Amino acid sequence: MNPRLSRVRRAAAAALALTAALTLTACGQDAPAPPGEAKPGISRSGDASPYKGTEITTPFAKPDLQLTDDQGKPFDLREDTAGRTVLLFFGYTNCPDVCPTTMGDLATALARQPQSVRDNVEVVFVTTDPERDTPASLDKWLAAFGENFTGLSGDLAKVKKAALSVGISVDDPTEHHDGTVTSDHGTQVIAFTPGDDQGRVVYTSGTTADDFAHDLPLLARGARTDARRQ
């Protein structure tokens, strides 16, 4: 049996515990693409959009990124997630705030879905601190959130380039005088729909588990604003 599929399904309880225990500080920020980077056209959610997140009118291409997954195996983001709903996030396991709470909110939202939706969704967590976030540590950390979570680690230069391609900034980790290490990074979740593997919805750090739960079935079937208008 695939080790990932054998994880104990304790996602909802872990998510609630993490959300209650952690206080938001300043791990990262919802940062726009740096000067010179292409910026997508977006329209805020509202009557024209079925999503609670921010729908992108000019979608992102899925990053061309090859790293190592949390089972120690090669992982090609485009090839290995093709045809699935993908929620892409850049962060690190020692993050004191937004990384675990975002993963917890996604875990809670997934736990509310029927099996048909859960079978279609993969959360991809790309570490911005690969020196400390080994495949083994990623696997242990993500196990608390459930079987839909895949961790990726590898060359930080590749990670930063991939993040910039979807409008997310990632800085090199900083070691402080007390020995702690922090990694500043954008906190957006980018959702790629299964029919075309395009990034069509962005979620900022204020997105709730209820918002994710509302949008997951729509993402799984690739709902589009223009289809709703017909």
Side-chain angles (χ1 to χ4, degrees):
M1 179 180 292
N2 187 319
R4 186 176 295 114
L5 296 179
S6 67
R7 288 173 174 166
V8 177
R9 291 190 174 183
R10 56 182 183 272
L16 290 173
L18 283 166
T19 302
L22 295 168
T23 301
L24 290 179
T25 56
C27 167
Q29 63 284 327
D30 293 315
E37 295 294 326
K39 298 180 182 179
I42 61 175
S43 58
R44 193 64 192 169
S45 296
D47 292 340
S49 175
Y51 296 104
K52 297 292 188 181
T54 300
E55 190 169 12
I56 306 170
T57 57
T58 303
F60 290 117
K62 188 177 290 183
D64 182 12
L65 183 61
Q66 297 82 38
L67 295 173
T68 301
D69 72 8
D70 50 65
Q71 301 303 307
K73 298 178 180 179
F75 192 98
D76 186 305
L77 181 62
R78 286 184 176 176
E79 291 185 5
D80 292 334
T81 63
R84 292 174 60 77
T85 302
V86 175
L87 302 173
L88 179 64
F89 183 85
F90 295 84
Y92 65 115
T93 64
N94 288 303
C95 171
D97 40 61
V98 71
C99 299
T101 55
T102 299
M103 294 302 101
D105 286 338
L106 287 169
T108 298
L110 279 162
R112 299 178 187 174
Q113 305 304 314
Q115 191 66 45
S116 60
V117 172
R118 294 199 302 273
D119 286 344
N120 181 267
V121 175
E122 185 165 6
V123 180
V124 178
F125 181 94
V126 182
T127 181
T128 60
D129 185 17
E131 184 174 337
R132 276 152 286 276
D133 285 345
T134 64
S137 64
L138 281 170
D139 181 57
K140 181 178 180 180
W141 190 75
L142 290 171
F145 302 108
E147 63 187 31
N148 293 81
F149 292 73
T150 296
L152 300 182
S153 62
D155 188 335
L156 184 58
K158 289 183 179 180
V159 170
K160 293 169 70 173
K161 182 178 179 181
L164 283 178
S165 76
V166 292
I168 296 174
S169 64
V170 171
D171 293 336
D172 291 341
T174 300
E175 185 170 356
H176 303 281
H177 67 278
D178 61 356
T180 60
V181 176
T182 58
S183 174
D184 288 336
H185 57 87
T187 58
Q188 303 96 315
V189 175
I190 311 294
F192 295 82
T193 48
D196 55 12
D197 291 321
Q198 296 288 297
R200 295 193 173 276
V201 185
V202 174
Y203 298 91
T204 61
S205 59
T207 304
T208 66
D210 288 341
D211 289 341
F212 283 126
H214 173 275
D215 282 6
L216 283 173
L218 300 175
L219 292 167
R221 68 171 186 262
R224 297 276 298 279
T225 296
D226 53 3
R228 184 178 177 180
R229 288 172 176 169
Q230 294 175 356

